[in-house]
Amino acid sequence: MPTWSELTPDPSMVQALDQADDPTSRAAIRNELVRLQSSGASNFSALRELRKRWSEQFARACATMVANGLRILPEVGTGFHITPDASGGNQEAFTPLGYKKGKRIDVVVSRELVGLQIGVSLKGLNFRDGEGGNFDKNLTGRLYELRDEVSTVHDYLPRAFMAGLFFVPTAACFDKVSGPSSFAHTVAQLRSRSGRLDPSLPAQNWKCDFAAVGLYGSGEPEEVQSGLPRGVVRYFPLVDAEGRISRPPRRGLPVLDSTMSLDELLRLLVSQAVRGTAAGISFAEAADDSVVLLPANAAAPGVDVGDDALDDDPLDPNT
């Protein structure tokens, strides 16, 4: 496996960042913060609006990226309706949950009659706090939003599988001199709000069934100087494929083999969503393919059977 500095940008993440940069780029927003601070300005409302618009556009682009990643998985198969659509339309579609009740969710995998099967709520901590320089100032608010979405869905559809996915710049791994980084803090707080063990217990409805943090190269100067170009992205699942708890470093980037690509993450998500169901059954390879045992009603190789025998179907009521 390559090192972090050897990673190349993910085209889908580059596209998401490009969409977020239109019409005001992240670099322009960063320069505006520097200008306001150097001028001694006290009103940062315009800057907050720029950041909000950028984050909303980034979230919509990431939702499309995740939905398209789910759409191509063979494990998902046909017969499911996935939003947003492939071109990014139908964002945060209203998902019915019960009589006159529903919720807008970033990414939804649903089926006719059954309804919502998998929901993914996306949250972002995309910008530094202007004073402290850390990325996790608004973490509590994002967690409250996640809790509201997850508990609302689970209250009406206890068997629905809800995932929380937070996007954080790689610079958030180095944003604090003392104490856990914003990335480590996000993992710790998200862990306490995930890991629902029993869908039959209403007391656990507020917890996610699955959670992960996406670390992406945002183009911040310190990231690029450290060899992390814009568009690099890896995903840190809170529980790995073997069910072990993933632990982040107190400060710094996580070990690369503790992270996943988007495709690997979504495969893990789906495998956990179908665990315990008929769709979750998997098969091992046969011990020896040189031995072939025919079914009891099959003809032996080289034995000619008459037409009458072929017509004698025990499941055909006319025979």
Side-chain angles (χ1 to χ4, degrees), residues 213-226:
V213 177
L215 282 170
Y216 69 95
S218 63
E220 292 290 322
E222 64 269 33
E223 293 176 341
V224 177
Q225 292 170 6
S226 300

Side-chain angles (χ1 to χ4, degrees), residues 161 209-211 239-241 243 267-276:
F161 191 88
D209 300 285
F210 180 92
V239 177
D240 67 15
R267 287 178 184 272
L268 177 61
L269 186 158
V270 172
S271 69
Q272 293 192 13
V274 302
R275 185 175 51 194

Side-chain angles (χ1 to χ4, degrees), residues 53-112:
R53 187 182 305 116
W54 191 96
S55 295
E56 289 173 346
Q57 293 179 168
F58 181 61
R60 288 194 290 270
C62 287
T64 303
M65 176 179 68
V66 171
N68 286 338
L70 287 167
R71 195 171 280 113
I72 63 175
L73 288 183
E75 294 86 346
V76 174
T78 59
F80 288 94
H81 180 61
I82 301 177
T83 58
D85 60 35
S87 61
N90 204 17
Q91 290 277 346
E92 290 188 283
F94 184 80
T95 302
L97 301 175
Y99 179 66
K100 293 186 177 181
K101 188 67 177 179
K103 196 71 178 174
R104 296 190 182 278
I105 304 169
D106 295 302
V107 180
V108 173
V109 179
S110 61
R111 201 161 198 164
E112 193 175 358

